[in-house]
Amino acid sequence: MKRILWGCTSLGLLCLLLLAWKLAADARVLNPLWFPGPDRSFAKLWEWIASGALWQPLGSTVWRMFAGWLAACLVGIALGAAIASSSVARRLFQPSAEFLRPLPASAVLPPAILILGLSDAMIVFVVAFGCVWPILLGAIQGFRSLEPRLAEVSRLMNFGPWERAWKFQLPSALPDIFAGMRVSIAIALIVTVASEMLSSQPGIGYLMLVAARAFRSADIFAGIIVLGALGFLTNYLVQTLEERLLRWRAG
């Protein structure tokens, strides 16, 4: 009941924001050429849906976003486990990781274009680079925070490093890993759209860039609505997966 009440409250707040947007557009607070109302924006979005113009760009954006994010998850978890569990891996990888971590994803876009060209692989690589750091830091923190009693049990049972990591450290690290994954899924969407704009690759980002060049503000806001919905759905999916896999914590 409480969850339903909060859902209705959130929906009511969203309706109020849409109403405020409508009133501001009708009052011409800004030039209508640059600030369309929700009626024009949603009408353009429905036009894209009905004509099928939305699906190919949306599919391209979703594919690049998830491919880069999943690659970042695999690399971040594996590398985080290695750095947290092995002093050799820590000395080998941590200096490079600390050097690369402050770099924005946009900084690696030019060399990625030079090496991989204007391709899906280039965008996936840039997305993975931008997403890997929250997951990596979460994995390192999670694998290091194994309770001393569990570590003692793993030693008494003569578990090897890999078996100890799989049966003890990974379940203990999952909350921190999922925290990094939820942060990085938002980063994946941002980097994907920015990369599409900068590289002129077909996708929602390029669709919005073309609309901006042609001063089609309704198209731009329709794209913003699509990206907002996509961000909401992807975060919800990751949160649902987290709740299912970490159901044991509630008990």
Side-chain angles (χ1 to χ4, degrees), residues 147-176:
E147 290 188 14
R149 288 177 296 178
L150 294 177
E152 183 65 24
V153 169
S154 69
R155 283 193 294 268
L156 290 174
M157 299 181 70
N158 293 321
F159 283 162
W162 290 108
E163 196 172 14
R164 178 189 178 199
W166 176 255
K167 294 185 176 181
F168 287 90
Q169 289 179 295
L170 181 58
S172 176
L174 280 178
D176 293 297

mmCIF file of all heavy atoms in Angstrom, residues 147-176:
data_model
loop_
_atom_site.group_PDB
_atom_site.id
_atom_site.type_symbol
_atom_site.label_atom_id
_atom_site.label_comp_id
_atom_site.label_asym_id
_atom_site.label_seq_id
_atom_site.Cartn_x
_atom_site.Cartn_y
_atom_site.Cartn_z
ATOM 1 N N GLU A 147 33.883 -10.078 5.462
ATOM 2 C CA GLU A 147 33.912 -10.175 6.923
ATOM 3 C C GLU A 147 35.030 -11.123 7.377
ATOM 4 O O GLU A 147 35.238 -12.171 6.769
ATOM 5 C CB GLU A 147 32.574 -10.689 7.440
ATOM 6 C CG GLU A 147 31.438 -9.700 7.306
ATOM 7 C CD GLU A 147 30.192 -10.189 8.000
ATOM 8 O OE1 GLU A 147 30.282 -11.144 8.794
ATOM 9 O OE2 GLU A 147 29.124 -9.615 7.746
ATOM 10 N N PRO A 148 35.747 -10.771 8.447
ATOM 11 C CA PRO A 148 36.854 -11.624 8.918
ATOM 12 C C PRO A 148 36.416 -13.053 9.227
ATOM 13 O O PRO A 148 37.166 -14.005 8.997
ATOM 14 C CB PRO A 148 37.344 -10.896 10.175
ATOM 15 C CG PRO A 148 36.933 -9.480 9.982
ATOM 16 C CD PRO A 148 35.656 -9.518 9.207
ATOM 17 N N ARG A 149 35.202 -13.221 9.720
ATOM 18 C CA ARG A 149 34.739 -14.572 10.046
ATOM 19 C C ARG A 149 34.589 -15.428 8.794
ATOM 20 O O ARG A 149 34.934 -16.608 8.792
ATOM 21 C CB ARG A 149 33.405 -14.508 10.808
ATOM 22 C CG ARG A 149 33.530 -13.992 12.233
ATOM 23 C CD ARG A 149 32.185 -13.885 12.883
ATOM 24 N NE ARG A 149 31.337 -12.899 12.201
ATOM 25 C CZ ARG A 149 30.076 -12.633 12.536
ATOM 26 N NH1 ARG A 149 29.507 -13.298 13.540
ATOM 27 N NH2 ARG A 149 29.381 -11.733 11.889
ATOM 28 N N LEU A 150 34.074 -14.807 7.711
ATOM 29 C CA LEU A 150 33.947 -15.553 6.462
ATOM 30 C C LEU A 150 35.318 -15.875 5.874
ATOM 31 O O LEU A 150 35.527 -16.947 5.296
ATOM 32 C CB LEU A 150 33.110 -14.750 5.456
ATOM 33 C CG LEU A 150 31.644 -14.550 5.827
ATOM 34 C CD1 LEU A 150 30.941 -13.680 4.778
ATOM 35 C CD2 LEU A 150 30.935 -15.898 5.949
ATOM 36 N N ALA A 151 36.246 -14.928 5.991
ATOM 37 C CA ALA A 151 37.604 -15.191 5.514
ATOM 38 C C ALA A 151 38.228 -16.352 6.289
ATOM 39 O O ALA A 151 38.920 -17.208 5.710
ATOM 40 C CB ALA A 151 38.455 -13.929 5.650
ATOM 41 N N GLU A 152 37.968 -16.392 7.591
ATOM 42 C CA GLU A 152 38.496 -17.481 8.410
ATOM 43 C C GLU A 152 37.874 -18.816 8.010
ATOM 44 O O GLU A 152 38.563 -19.848 7.936
ATOM 45 C CB GLU A 152 38.219 -17.191 9.884
ATOM 46 C CG GLU A 152 38.789 -18.225 10.838
ATOM 47 C CD GLU A 152 40.305 -18.264 10.830
ATOM 48 O OE1 GLU A 152 40.920 -17.238 10.465
ATOM 49 O OE2 GLU A 152 40.871 -19.317 11.167
ATOM 50 N N VAL A 153 36.569 -18.817 7.725
ATOM 51 C CA VAL A 153 35.903 -20.044 7.286
ATOM 52 C C VAL A 153 36.495 -20.542 5.973
ATOM 53 O O VAL A 153 36.739 -21.745 5.800
ATOM 54 C CB VAL A 153 34.380 -19.802 7.142
ATOM 55 C CG1 VAL A 153 33.708 -20.985 6.434
ATOM 56 C CG2 VAL A 153 33.752 -19.585 8.501
ATOM 57 N N SER A 154 36.746 -19.614 5.035
ATOM 58 C CA SER A 154 37.316 -20.036 3.748
ATOM 59 C C SER A 154 38.700 -20.628 3.921
ATOM 60 O O SER A 154 39.071 -21.577 3.219
ATOM 61 C CB SER A 154 37.363 -18.842 2.789
ATOM 62 O OG SER A 154 38.310 -17.879 3.215
ATOM 63 N N ARG A 155 39.474 -20.103 4.876
ATOM 64 C CA ARG A 155 40.811 -20.664 5.122
ATOM 65 C C ARG A 155 40.703 -22.037 5.770
ATOM 66 O O ARG A 155 41.454 -22.960 5.449
ATOM 67 C CB ARG A 155 41.627 -19.713 6.000
ATOM 68 C CG ARG A 155 42.185 -18.514 5.261
ATOM 69 C CD ARG A 155 43.226 -17.784 6.085
ATOM 70 N NE ARG A 155 42.624 -17.176 7.274
ATOM 71 C CZ ARG A 155 42.152 -15.927 7.305
ATOM 72 N NH1 ARG A 155 42.199 -15.178 6.218
ATOM 73 N NH2 ARG A 155 41.639 -15.434 8.412
ATOM 74 N N LEU A 156 39.760 -22.192 6.711
ATOM 75 C CA LEU A 156 39.591 -23.489 7.378
ATOM 76 C C LEU A 156 39.138 -24.572 6.405
ATOM 77 O O LEU A 156 39.475 -25.750 6.573
ATOM 78 C CB LEU A 156 38.576 -23.352 8.522
ATOM 79 C CG LEU A 156 39.032 -22.539 9.739
ATOM 80 C CD1 LEU A 156 37.888 -22.356 10.725
ATOM 81 C CD2 LEU A 156 40.223 -23.216 10.419
ATOM 82 N N MET A 157 38.384 -24.183 5.396
ATOM 83 C CA MET A 157 37.899 -25.144 4.404
ATOM 84 C C MET A 157 38.886 -25.351 3.256
ATOM 85 O O MET A 157 38.592 -26.047 2.286
ATOM 86 C CB MET A 157 36.545 -24.693 3.865
ATOM 87 C CG MET A 157 35.459 -24.603 4.933
ATOM 88 S SD MET A 157 33.845 -24.100 4.301
ATOM 89 C CE MET A 157 33.385 -25.569 3.371
ATOM 90 N N ASN A 158 40.071 -24.695 3.357
ATOM 91 C CA ASN A 158 41.139 -24.843 2.368
ATOM 92 C C ASN A 158 40.690 -24.463 0.955
ATOM 93 O O ASN A 158 41.043 -25.110 -0.031
ATOM 94 C CB ASN A 158 41.672 -26.286 2.365
ATOM 95 C CG ASN A 158 42.391 -26.625 3.646
ATOM 96 O OD1 ASN A 158 43.116 -25.797 4.202
ATOM 97 N ND2 ASN A 158 42.197 -27.849 4.140
ATOM 98 N N PHE A 159 39.883 -23.414 0.856
ATOM 99 C CA PHE A 159 39.475 -22.932 -0.454
ATOM 100 C C PHE A 159 40.649 -22.217 -1.119
ATOM 101 O O PHE A 159 41.383 -21.460 -0.480
ATOM 102 C CB PHE A 159 38.298 -21.970 -0.335
ATOM 103 C CG PHE A 159 36.978 -22.643 -0.099
ATOM 104 C CD1 PHE A 159 35.902 -21.922 0.389
ATOM 105 C CD2 PHE A 159 36.804 -23.992 -0.374
ATOM 106 C CE1 PHE A 159 34.679 -22.539 0.609
ATOM 107 C CE2 PHE A 159 35.595 -24.623 -0.163
ATOM 108 C CZ PHE A 159 34.524 -23.892 0.332
ATOM 109 N N GLY A 160 40.799 -22.423 -2.425
ATOM 110 C CA GLY A 160 41.795 -21.697 -3.195
ATOM 111 C C GLY A 160 41.321 -20.277 -3.473
ATOM 112 O O GLY A 160 40.176 -19.904 -3.166
ATOM 113 N N PRO A 161 42.169 -19.453 -4.077
ATOM 114 C CA PRO A 161 41.801 -18.043 -4.319
ATOM 115 C C PRO A 161 40.539 -17.887 -5.162
ATOM 116 O O PRO A 161 39.675 -17.063 -4.848
ATOM 117 C CB PRO A 161 43.038 -17.483 -5.035
ATOM 118 C CG PRO A 161 44.155 -18.388 -4.654
ATOM 119 C CD PRO A 161 43.554 -19.746 -4.483
ATOM 120 N N TRP A 162 40.415 -18.669 -6.236
ATOM 121 C CA TRP A 162 39.259 -18.516 -7.116
ATOM 122 C C TRP A 162 37.983 -18.996 -6.436
ATOM 123 O O TRP A 162 36.937 -18.365 -6.553
ATOM 124 C CB TRP A 162 39.489 -19.274 -8.418
ATOM 125 C CG TRP A 162 40.524 -18.654 -9.284
ATOM 126 C CD1 TRP A 162 41.786 -19.116 -9.534
ATOM 127 C CD2 TRP A 162 40.412 -17.415 -10.000
ATOM 128 N NE1 TRP A 162 42.474 -18.255 -10.357
ATOM 129 C CE2 TRP A 162 41.648 -17.204 -10.654
ATOM 130 C CE3 TRP A 162 39.406 -16.475 -10.140
ATOM 131 C CZ2 TRP A 162 41.883 -16.086 -11.451
ATOM 132 C CZ3 TRP A 162 39.639 -15.354 -10.945
ATOM 133 C CH2 TRP A 162 40.868 -15.175 -11.584
ATOM 134 N N GLU A 163 38.075 -20.122 -5.733
ATOM 135 C CA GLU A 163 36.891 -20.640 -5.050
ATOM 136 C C GLU A 163 36.463 -19.699 -3.926
ATOM 137 O O GLU A 163 35.270 -19.474 -3.699
ATOM 138 C CB GLU A 163 37.192 -22.031 -4.492
ATOM 139 C CG GLU A 163 35.948 -22.822 -4.104
ATOM 140 C CD GLU A 163 36.271 -24.258 -3.746
ATOM 141 O OE1 GLU A 163 37.476 -24.574 -3.538
ATOM 142 O OE2 GLU A 163 35.333 -25.056 -3.652
ATOM 143 N N ARG A 164 37.426 -19.132 -3.230
ATOM 144 C CA ARG A 164 37.117 -18.173 -2.169
ATOM 145 C C ARG A 164 36.455 -16.931 -2.744
ATOM 146 O O ARG A 164 35.462 -16.422 -2.190
ATOM 147 C CB ARG A 164 38.408 -17.792 -1.449
ATOM 148 C CG ARG A 164 38.224 -16.760 -0.348
ATOM 149 C CD ARG A 164 39.562 -16.270 0.153
ATOM 150 N NE ARG A 164 39.407 -15.260 1.166
ATOM 151 C CZ ARG A 164 40.363 -14.412 1.525
ATOM 152 N NH1 ARG A 164 41.538 -14.468 0.954
ATOM 153 N NH2 ARG A 164 40.154 -13.513 2.462
ATOM 154 N N ALA A 165 36.975 -16.462 -3.893
ATOM 155 C CA ALA A 165 36.396 -15.275 -4.517
ATOM 156 C C ALA A 165 34.965 -15.534 -4.979
ATOM 157 O O ALA A 165 34.080 -14.686 -4.805
ATOM 158 C CB ALA A 165 37.265 -14.831 -5.694
ATOM 159 N N TRP A 166 34.716 -16.717 -5.560
ATOM 160 C CA TRP A 166 33.395 -17.025 -6.108
ATOM 161 C C TRP A 166 32.362 -17.273 -5.008
ATOM 162 O O TRP A 166 31.228 -16.791 -5.095
ATOM 163 C CB TRP A 166 33.512 -18.233 -7.027
ATOM 164 C CG TRP A 166 32.195 -18.698 -7.586
ATOM 165 C CD1 TRP A 166 31.472 -19.793 -7.226
ATOM 166 C CD2 TRP A 166 31.437 -18.053 -8.622
ATOM 167 N NE1 TRP A 166 30.323 -19.881 -7.957
ATOM 168 C CE2 TRP A 166 30.269 -18.831 -8.825
ATOM 169 C CE3 TRP A 166 31.628 -16.899 -9.386
ATOM 170 C CZ2 TRP A 166 29.308 -18.488 -9.769
ATOM 171 C CZ3 TRP A 166 30.667 -16.559 -10.330
ATOM 172 C CH2 TRP A 166 29.532 -17.339 -10.509
ATOM 173 N N LYS A 167 32.725 -18.015 -3.955
ATOM 174 C CA LYS A 167 31.753 -18.427 -2.951
ATOM 175 C C LYS A 167 31.613 -17.457 -1.791
ATOM 176 O O LYS A 167 30.573 -17.445 -1.117
ATOM 177 C CB LYS A 167 32.125 -19.815 -2.411
ATOM 178 C CG LYS A 167 32.003 -20.925 -3.448
ATOM 179 C CD LYS A 167 32.264 -22.286 -2.839
ATOM 180 C CE LYS A 167 32.048 -23.404 -3.849
ATOM 181 N NZ LYS A 167 32.287 -24.752 -3.266
ATOM 182 N N PHE A 168 32.634 -16.643 -1.528
ATOM 183 C CA PHE A 168 32.585 -15.765 -0.367
ATOM 184 C C PHE A 168 32.668 -14.282 -0.750
ATOM 185 O O PHE A 168 31.821 -13.487 -0.338
ATOM 186 C CB PHE A 168 33.722 -16.098 0.607
ATOM 187 C CG PHE A 168 33.507 -17.383 1.357
ATOM 188 C CD1 PHE A 168 33.970 -18.587 0.848
ATOM 189 C CD2 PHE A 168 32.843 -17.398 2.567
ATOM 190 C CE1 PHE A 168 33.778 -19.771 1.533
ATOM 191 C CE2 PHE A 168 32.644 -18.562 3.266
ATOM 192 C CZ PHE A 168 33.107 -19.764 2.745
ATOM 193 N N GLN A 169 33.700 -13.935 -1.520
ATOM 194 C CA GLN A 169 33.931 -12.519 -1.771
ATOM 195 C C GLN A 169 32.902 -11.908 -2.726
ATOM 196 O O GLN A 169 32.445 -10.785 -2.516
ATOM 197 C CB GLN A 169 35.346 -12.308 -2.321
ATOM 198 C CG GLN A 169 36.442 -12.525 -1.283
ATOM 199 C CD GLN A 169 37.824 -12.325 -1.878
ATOM 200 O OE1 GLN A 169 38.252 -13.070 -2.751
ATOM 201 N NE2 GLN A 169 38.507 -11.297 -1.403
ATOM 202 N N LEU A 170 32.551 -12.642 -3.802
ATOM 203 C CA LEU A 170 31.611 -12.083 -4.769
ATOM 204 C C LEU A 170 30.241 -11.806 -4.158
ATOM 205 O O LEU A 170 29.709 -10.703 -4.332
ATOM 206 C CB LEU A 170 31.486 -13.013 -5.977
ATOM 207 C CG LEU A 170 30.539 -12.523 -7.083
ATOM 208 C CD1 LEU A 170 30.976 -11.163 -7.612
ATOM 209 C CD2 LEU A 170 30.446 -13.536 -8.211
ATOM 210 N N PRO A 171 29.628 -12.756 -3.423
ATOM 211 C CA PRO A 171 28.340 -12.413 -2.784
ATOM 212 C C PRO A 171 28.443 -11.225 -1.822
ATOM 213 O O PRO A 171 27.534 -10.389 -1.765
ATOM 214 C CB PRO A 171 27.975 -13.700 -2.035
ATOM 215 C CG PRO A 171 28.684 -14.782 -2.770
ATOM 216 C CD PRO A 171 29.970 -14.187 -3.219
ATOM 217 N N SER A 172 29.552 -11.146 -1.099
ATOM 218 C CA SER A 172 29.739 -10.029 -0.186
ATOM 219 C C SER A 172 29.929 -8.709 -0.926
ATOM 220 O O SER A 172 29.549 -7.647 -0.426
ATOM 221 C CB SER A 172 30.954 -10.297 0.715
ATOM 222 O OG SER A 172 31.220 -9.207 1.556
ATOM 223 N N ALA A 173 30.511 -8.779 -2.136
ATOM 224 C CA ALA A 173 30.812 -7.568 -2.901
ATOM 225 C C ALA A 173 29.644 -7.083 -3.746
ATOM 226 O O ALA A 173 29.677 -5.950 -4.240
ATOM 227 C CB ALA A 173 32.024 -7.814 -3.803
ATOM 228 N N LEU A 174 28.614 -7.913 -3.946
ATOM 229 C CA LEU A 174 27.524 -7.561 -4.859
ATOM 230 C C LEU A 174 26.847 -6.227 -4.537
ATOM 231 O O LEU A 174 26.533 -5.473 -5.466
ATOM 232 C CB LEU A 174 26.493 -8.687 -4.903
ATOM 233 C CG LEU A 174 26.856 -9.883 -5.787
ATOM 234 C CD1 LEU A 174 25.771 -10.950 -5.706
ATOM 235 C CD2 LEU A 174 27.051 -9.446 -7.233
ATOM 236 N N PRO A 175 26.566 -5.877 -3.274
ATOM 237 C CA PRO A 175 25.952 -4.560 -3.022
ATOM 238 C C PRO A 175 26.793 -3.399 -3.545
ATOM 239 O O PRO A 175 26.257 -2.465 -4.158
ATOM 240 C CB PRO A 175 25.825 -4.520 -1.497
ATOM 241 C CG PRO A 175 25.744 -5.962 -1.095
ATOM 242 C CD PRO A 175 26.649 -6.688 -2.046
ATOM 243 N N ASP A 176 28.106 -3.445 -3.329
ATOM 244 C CA ASP A 176 28.975 -2.374 -3.835
ATOM 245 C C ASP A 176 29.059 -2.407 -5.353
ATOM 246 O O ASP A 176 29.111 -1.354 -5.997
ATOM 247 C CB ASP A 176 30.371 -2.516 -3.226
ATOM 248 C CG ASP A 176 30.389 -2.267 -1.729
ATOM 249 O OD1 ASP A 176 30.063 -1.144 -1.324
ATOM 250 O OD2 ASP A 176 30.711 -3.198 -0.981
#
